Amino acid sequence: MSVLLLQTMLQNGAVMAGKVRHLVNRSGRYFARLVVPKELRDKVGKTELRTPLGGDYRQALKLLPSAVAQLQHEIAAAERKTNTAKGIPEARYPLAPDQIALSHYHQRLAFDDTLRNDPRYAAVTIDDTYVMRLRDGMAGRLSDADLVQIVGPHIERFRASGNMAAATGTDEWRTVARALCAGEYEALSRVAERDGGDFTGRPSHPVIANAKLPEDAKEPVRLTKLWADYVAARKGAGFMRDGGTRQTPVIASLRKFLKHDDAARITRKDVMAWRDELMKTLSAKTVNDVYLSTVRSLFSWANENERLTENPAATVKQRKPKKVYSRERGFTDAEALAVLKVSRGYEPPADEFGRVRETPQLTAAKRWVPLLSAFSGARVSEMTQLRVEDIRCEGDVHVMRITPEAGTVKAGGYRDVPLHPQIIAEGFLEFVKEIGQGPLFHNGRDPAKYAAKAKRIANQIADWLRVREIVPEGVQPTHGWRHRFKTLGRELEISERVVDAIQGHASRISGDNYGDVTLKIRVNAINRLPAYALHEAA
């Protein structure tokens, strides 16, 4: 061991009574060892940190200071995460203490090169007192105030660059200050050697000699950009025609939880922690089937397209309790009749001045949408997005076209559903004619916003039915019609494939994709549905 190294270690307090601090021997192998403070063990996940230094004692002593600095940096990083949770800012581009010292060392020598081009440089000398104070700083024998005086400006320069965020006087701050003293001391040593004509000198202090500057950071993979590209790819392939409207809040939720927008930094633990946070306010089904499913699909696509090296959500799931139903999920005959009677006889309420505040579109939706849903088994949002041009006559058959052009269709393509004779008898065609043009049940003017408008009206219908308390417990106010339509189809022995074609359900087997369910077949099926006794006295 060199005299300088031994002197430095003695000054740093590493050698005490024959025992080297932070150095342990386990089965003939040496390790740098640092105990993790109790308050940080949950963050670090360990009670102590170790770095292997090899089996040679002299080499281990040489590597020890740098290894300890790295372990201190790891603990400091955990402390910063804790501080961030408390509102204390975290360094944006964190560097370990030895990396800060090495960076300063190179900057100092580069500055020396510049100064030597100035004729006045010959009059510059090195202050021996300053050198002694740097040695005391390396040894930890200076107060916080003294350290601020000799390396404080350098610390603040690295703080301004986002390389550290430690508060003055903390252990992390003093570690950086001591490392900077070493960097400055080594730089002055090279300056003195250069004054004698030697430009080949290398640093000998382990903190500088063994330090490595971080590799260039990988270009961040912006989560928002990744999502936009994913949606565009899905739409280009004929899927996600609504532009990911339902899933976009999922990505916003993930970004808010992570507090950053770099998908490349997301780990499996991050996704699991996000899932656990979601479970505090959402159901297991929503978390698994909407939130986790969305990010799993996104990251799978990103991995397949070499945007990410892995899918951190691939194996993250949320177990769902098996849902227990206390009754059938669709309306019974009596329940369906009760809803339709309330719907067809609906009159909007007036305020104390006799003024009706409800929009004509919402009033019309409450009157017509339940009847349309009852005879089509369609999703209520598919009914609330209907436009005048979607109601037309094919020969002698009146049909409504459910199309993504009007808003959104889960199955992707359009489908034509014949109007049941009772819908026509109730005056629906006259109502459509009075509207003239545009949406029937909302006041949207921008086609890009039709889906959102239709969804809002559908939710308002559901809320209205709940308030009227005519929908029994266990039945969804709007989805109950889809279940009932399927049940009626089976009772009337209508082919499952025909019912699926009318409702917009995907085929169950590949054979169903052969042949067509023609309009004539659909008309025959719709006309077999029994009419409701809407105008008979109870």
PDB file of all heavy atoms in Angstrom, residues 295-313:
ATOM      1  N   VAL A 295     -52.761  -1.520 -19.977  1.00  0.00           N
ATOM      2  CA  VAL A 295     -51.302  -1.338 -19.980  1.00  0.00           C
ATOM      3  C   VAL A 295     -50.588  -2.611 -20.422  1.00  0.00           C
ATOM      4  O   VAL A 295     -49.515  -2.554 -21.034  1.00  0.00           O
ATOM      5  CB  VAL A 295     -50.786  -0.881 -18.603  1.00  0.00           C
ATOM      6  CG1 VAL A 295     -51.363   0.470 -18.241  1.00  0.00           C
ATOM      7  CG2 VAL A 295     -51.092  -1.895 -17.518  1.00  0.00           C
ATOM      8  N   ARG A 296     -51.187  -3.767 -20.140  1.00  0.00           N
ATOM      9  CA  ARG A 296     -50.582  -5.027 -20.596  1.00  0.00           C
ATOM     10  C   ARG A 296     -50.559  -5.082 -22.123  1.00  0.00           C
ATOM     11  O   ARG A 296     -49.552  -5.455 -22.734  1.00  0.00           O
ATOM     12  CB  ARG A 296     -51.361  -6.207 -20.018  1.00  0.00           C
ATOM     13  CG  ARG A 296     -50.635  -7.524 -20.116  1.00  0.00           C
ATOM     14  CD  ARG A 296     -51.168  -8.543 -19.109  1.00  0.00           C
ATOM     15  NE  ARG A 296     -52.610  -8.579 -19.038  1.00  0.00           N
ATOM     16  CZ  ARG A 296     -53.303  -8.342 -17.923  1.00  0.00           C
ATOM     17  NH1 ARG A 296     -52.676  -8.020 -16.814  1.00  0.00           N
ATOM     18  NH2 ARG A 296     -54.619  -8.406 -17.930  1.00  0.00           N
ATOM     19  N   SER A 297     -51.654  -4.687 -22.741  1.00  0.00           N
ATOM     20  CA  SER A 297     -51.724  -4.678 -24.209  1.00  0.00           C
ATOM     21  C   SER A 297     -50.772  -3.634 -24.797  1.00  0.00           C
ATOM     22  O   SER A 297     -50.096  -3.879 -25.796  1.00  0.00           O
ATOM     23  CB  SER A 297     -53.156  -4.389 -24.662  1.00  0.00           C
ATOM     24  OG  SER A 297     -54.040  -5.395 -24.229  1.00  0.00           O
ATOM     25  N   LEU A 298     -50.738  -2.454 -24.171  1.00  0.00           N
ATOM     26  CA  LEU A 298     -49.853  -1.387 -24.656  1.00  0.00           C
ATOM     27  C   LEU A 298     -48.393  -1.813 -24.613  1.00  0.00           C
ATOM     28  O   LEU A 298     -47.666  -1.678 -25.611  1.00  0.00           O
ATOM     29  CB  LEU A 298     -50.050  -0.132 -23.798  1.00  0.00           C
ATOM     30  CG  LEU A 298     -49.034   1.002 -24.007  1.00  0.00           C
ATOM     31  CD1 LEU A 298     -49.122   1.542 -25.426  1.00  0.00           C
ATOM     32  CD2 LEU A 298     -49.247   2.105 -22.980  1.00  0.00           C
ATOM     33  N   PHE A 299     -47.949  -2.336 -23.468  1.00  0.00           N
ATOM     34  CA  PHE A 299     -46.542  -2.695 -23.322  1.00  0.00           C
ATOM     35  C   PHE A 299     -46.182  -3.934 -24.150  1.00  0.00           C
ATOM     36  O   PHE A 299     -45.039  -4.086 -24.585  1.00  0.00           O
ATOM     37  CB  PHE A 299     -46.203  -2.923 -21.851  1.00  0.00           C
ATOM     38  CG  PHE A 299     -46.296  -1.678 -21.021  1.00  0.00           C
ATOM     39  CD1 PHE A 299     -46.662  -1.732 -19.688  1.00  0.00           C
ATOM     40  CD2 PHE A 299     -46.040  -0.432 -21.578  1.00  0.00           C
ATOM     41  CE1 PHE A 299     -46.757  -0.583 -18.924  1.00  0.00           C
ATOM     42  CE2 PHE A 299     -46.142   0.729 -20.826  1.00  0.00           C
ATOM     43  CZ  PHE A 299     -46.503   0.647 -19.501  1.00  0.00           C
ATOM     44  N   SER A 300     -47.156  -4.811 -24.370  1.00  0.00           N
ATOM     45  CA  SER A 300     -46.915  -5.963 -25.240  1.00  0.00           C
ATOM     46  C   SER A 300     -46.658  -5.496 -26.670  1.00  0.00           C
ATOM     47  O   SER A 300     -45.728  -5.959 -27.337  1.00  0.00           O
ATOM     48  CB  SER A 300     -48.121  -6.911 -25.198  1.00  0.00           C
ATOM     49  OG  SER A 300     -47.941  -7.987 -26.097  1.00  0.00           O
ATOM     50  N   TRP A 301     -47.477  -4.557 -27.138  1.00  0.00           N
ATOM     51  CA  TRP A 301     -47.276  -3.987 -28.471  1.00  0.00           C
ATOM     52  C   TRP A 301     -45.930  -3.266 -28.556  1.00  0.00           C
ATOM     53  O   TRP A 301     -45.202  -3.386 -29.538  1.00  0.00           O
ATOM     54  CB  TRP A 301     -48.413  -3.015 -28.782  1.00  0.00           C
ATOM     55  CG  TRP A 301     -48.236  -2.251 -30.054  1.00  0.00           C
ATOM     56  CD1 TRP A 301     -48.570  -2.643 -31.326  1.00  0.00           C
ATOM     57  CD2 TRP A 301     -47.658  -0.941 -30.183  1.00  0.00           C
ATOM     58  NE1 TRP A 301     -48.242  -1.663 -32.227  1.00  0.00           N
ATOM     59  CE2 TRP A 301     -47.682  -0.613 -31.578  1.00  0.00           C
ATOM     60  CE3 TRP A 301     -47.132  -0.030 -29.292  1.00  0.00           C
ATOM     61  CZ2 TRP A 301     -47.191   0.597 -32.049  1.00  0.00           C
ATOM     62  CZ3 TRP A 301     -46.643   1.175 -29.771  1.00  0.00           C
ATOM     63  CH2 TRP A 301     -46.676   1.479 -31.134  1.00  0.00           C
ATOM     64  N   ALA A 302     -45.602  -2.497 -27.512  1.00  0.00           N
ATOM     65  CA  ALA A 302     -44.338  -1.758 -27.498  1.00  0.00           C
ATOM     66  C   ALA A 302     -43.148  -2.704 -27.539  1.00  0.00           C
ATOM     67  O   ALA A 302     -42.148  -2.436 -28.215  1.00  0.00           O
ATOM     68  CB  ALA A 302     -44.265  -0.875 -26.253  1.00  0.00           C
ATOM     69  N   ASN A 303     -43.251  -3.827 -26.844  1.00  0.00           N
ATOM     70  CA  ASN A 303     -42.173  -4.820 -26.850  1.00  0.00           C
ATOM     71  C   ASN A 303     -42.052  -5.497 -28.208  1.00  0.00           C
ATOM     72  O   ASN A 303     -40.944  -5.673 -28.738  1.00  0.00           O
ATOM     73  CB  ASN A 303     -42.429  -5.846 -25.744  1.00  0.00           C
ATOM     74  CG  ASN A 303     -41.372  -6.941 -25.709  1.00  0.00           C
ATOM     75  OD1 ASN A 303     -41.658  -8.106 -25.925  1.00  0.00           O
ATOM     76  ND2 ASN A 303     -40.133  -6.563 -25.439  1.00  0.00           N
ATOM     77  N   GLU A 304     -43.184  -5.848 -28.807  1.00  0.00           N
ATOM     78  CA  GLU A 304     -43.177  -6.500 -30.117  1.00  0.00           C
ATOM     79  C   GLU A 304     -42.610  -5.575 -31.196  1.00  0.00           C
ATOM     80  O   GLU A 304     -42.001  -6.045 -32.160  1.00  0.00           O
ATOM     81  CB  GLU A 304     -44.595  -6.923 -30.496  1.00  0.00           C
ATOM     82  CG  GLU A 304     -45.142  -8.054 -29.650  1.00  0.00           C
ATOM     83  CD  GLU A 304     -46.616  -8.293 -29.906  1.00  0.00           C
ATOM     84  OE1 GLU A 304     -47.189  -7.570 -30.761  1.00  0.00           O
ATOM     85  OE2 GLU A 304     -47.200  -9.187 -29.265  1.00  0.00           O
ATOM     86  N   ASN A 305     -42.801  -4.279 -31.013  1.00  0.00           N
ATOM     87  CA  ASN A 305     -42.322  -3.307 -31.989  1.00  0.00           C
ATOM     88  C   ASN A 305     -40.998  -2.652 -31.575  1.00  0.00           C
ATOM     89  O   ASN A 305     -40.630  -1.605 -32.095  1.00  0.00           O
ATOM     90  CB  ASN A 305     -43.388  -2.231 -32.214  1.00  0.00           C
ATOM     91  CG  ASN A 305     -44.583  -2.750 -32.984  1.00  0.00           C
ATOM     92  OD1 ASN A 305     -44.588  -2.741 -34.220  1.00  0.00           O
ATOM     93  ND2 ASN A 305     -45.596  -3.225 -32.273  1.00  0.00           N
ATOM     94  N   GLU A 306     -40.316  -3.286 -30.616  1.00  0.00           N
ATOM     95  CA  GLU A 306     -38.980  -2.873 -30.176  1.00  0.00           C
ATOM     96  C   GLU A 306     -38.942  -1.434 -29.662  1.00  0.00           C
ATOM     97  O   GLU A 306     -37.944  -0.732 -29.804  1.00  0.00           O
ATOM     98  CB  GLU A 306     -37.949  -3.070 -31.296  1.00  0.00           C
ATOM     99  CG  GLU A 306     -37.818  -4.526 -31.730  1.00  0.00           C
ATOM    100  CD  GLU A 306     -36.711  -4.739 -32.742  1.00  0.00           C
ATOM    101  OE1 GLU A 306     -36.093  -3.746 -33.177  1.00  0.00           O
ATOM    102  OE2 GLU A 306     -36.461  -5.905 -33.085  1.00  0.00           O
ATOM    103  N   ARG A 307     -40.039  -1.027 -29.042  1.00  0.00           N
ATOM    104  CA  ARG A 307     -40.059   0.282 -28.384  1.00  0.00           C
ATOM    105  C   ARG A 307     -39.652   0.138 -26.920  1.00  0.00           C
ATOM    106  O   ARG A 307     -39.161   1.074 -26.306  1.00  0.00           O
ATOM    107  CB  ARG A 307     -41.458   0.894 -28.492  1.00  0.00           C
ATOM    108  CG  ARG A 307     -41.951   1.080 -29.927  1.00  0.00           C
ATOM    109  CD  ARG A 307     -41.311   2.287 -30.571  1.00  0.00           C
ATOM    110  NE  ARG A 307     -41.802   3.512 -29.971  1.00  0.00           N
ATOM    111  CZ  ARG A 307     -42.926   4.135 -30.343  1.00  0.00           C
ATOM    112  NH1 ARG A 307     -43.664   3.649 -31.329  1.00  0.00           N
ATOM    113  NH2 ARG A 307     -43.286   5.264 -29.763  1.00  0.00           N
ATOM    114  N   LEU A 308     -39.918  -1.048 -26.350  1.00  0.00           N
ATOM    115  CA  LEU A 308     -39.503  -1.374 -24.991  1.00  0.00           C
ATOM    116  C   LEU A 308     -38.813  -2.732 -25.015  1.00  0.00           C
ATOM    117  O   LEU A 308     -39.126  -3.582 -25.857  1.00  0.00           O
ATOM    118  CB  LEU A 308     -40.704  -1.426 -24.041  1.00  0.00           C
ATOM    119  CG  LEU A 308     -41.454  -0.125 -23.745  1.00  0.00           C
ATOM    120  CD1 LEU A 308     -42.655  -0.402 -22.846  1.00  0.00           C
ATOM    121  CD2 LEU A 308     -40.537   0.902 -23.101  1.00  0.00           C
ATOM    122  N   THR A 309     -37.902  -2.945 -24.081  1.00  0.00           N
ATOM    123  CA  THR A 309     -37.168  -4.216 -24.038  1.00  0.00           C
ATOM    124  C   THR A 309     -37.963  -5.319 -23.369  1.00  0.00           C
ATOM    125  O   THR A 309     -37.641  -6.505 -23.510  1.00  0.00           O
ATOM    126  CB  THR A 309     -35.837  -4.041 -23.294  1.00  0.00           C
ATOM    127  OG1 THR A 309     -36.101  -3.546 -21.966  1.00  0.00           O
ATOM    128  CG2 THR A 309     -34.934  -3.047 -24.026  1.00  0.00           C
ATOM    129  N   GLU A 310     -39.002  -4.965 -22.620  1.00  0.00           N
ATOM    130  CA  GLU A 310     -39.828  -5.966 -21.952  1.00  0.00           C
ATOM    131  C   GLU A 310     -41.206  -5.390 -21.673  1.00  0.00           C
ATOM    132  O   GLU A 310     -41.429  -4.183 -21.797  1.00  0.00           O
ATOM    133  CB  GLU A 310     -39.177  -6.411 -20.634  1.00  0.00           C
ATOM    134  CG  GLU A 310     -39.017  -5.286 -19.621  1.00  0.00           C
ATOM    135  CD  GLU A 310     -38.424  -5.783 -18.319  1.00  0.00           C
ATOM    136  OE1 GLU A 310     -38.345  -7.007 -18.134  1.00  0.00           O
ATOM    137  OE2 GLU A 310     -38.054  -4.931 -17.487  1.00  0.00           O
ATOM    138  N   ASN A 311     -42.104  -6.273 -21.286  1.00  0.00           N
ATOM    139  CA  ASN A 311     -43.453  -5.865 -20.897  1.00  0.00           C
ATOM    140  C   ASN A 311     -43.552  -5.971 -19.380  1.00  0.00           C
ATOM    141  O   ASN A 311     -43.740  -7.065 -18.834  1.00  0.00           O
ATOM    142  CB  ASN A 311     -44.497  -6.765 -21.556  1.00  0.00           C
ATOM    143  CG  ASN A 311     -45.926  -6.394 -21.158  1.00  0.00           C
ATOM    144  OD1 ASN A 311     -46.143  -5.533 -20.319  1.00  0.00           O
ATOM    145  ND2 ASN A 311     -46.897  -7.064 -21.752  1.00  0.00           N
ATOM    146  N   PRO A 312     -43.417  -4.859 -18.652  1.00  0.00           N
ATOM    147  CA  PRO A 312     -43.421  -4.928 -17.188  1.00  0.00           C
ATOM    148  C   PRO A 312     -44.763  -5.331 -16.595  1.00  0.00           C
ATOM    149  O   PRO A 312     -44.839  -5.667 -15.414  1.00  0.00           O
ATOM    150  CB  PRO A 312     -43.037  -3.496 -16.780  1.00  0.00           C
ATOM    151  CG  PRO A 312     -43.473  -2.643 -17.913  1.00  0.00           C
ATOM    152  CD  PRO A 312     -43.249  -3.480 -19.142  1.00  0.00           C
ATOM    153  N   ALA A 313     -45.819  -5.302 -17.391  1.00  0.00           N
ATOM    154  CA  ALA A 313     -47.151  -5.651 -16.885  1.00  0.00           C
ATOM    155  C   ALA A 313     -47.583  -7.048 -17.303  1.00  0.00           C
ATOM    156  O   ALA A 313     -48.709  -7.453 -17.020  1.00  0.00           O
ATOM    157  CB  ALA A 313     -48.182  -4.625 -17.369  1.00  0.00           C
TER     158      ALA A 313
END
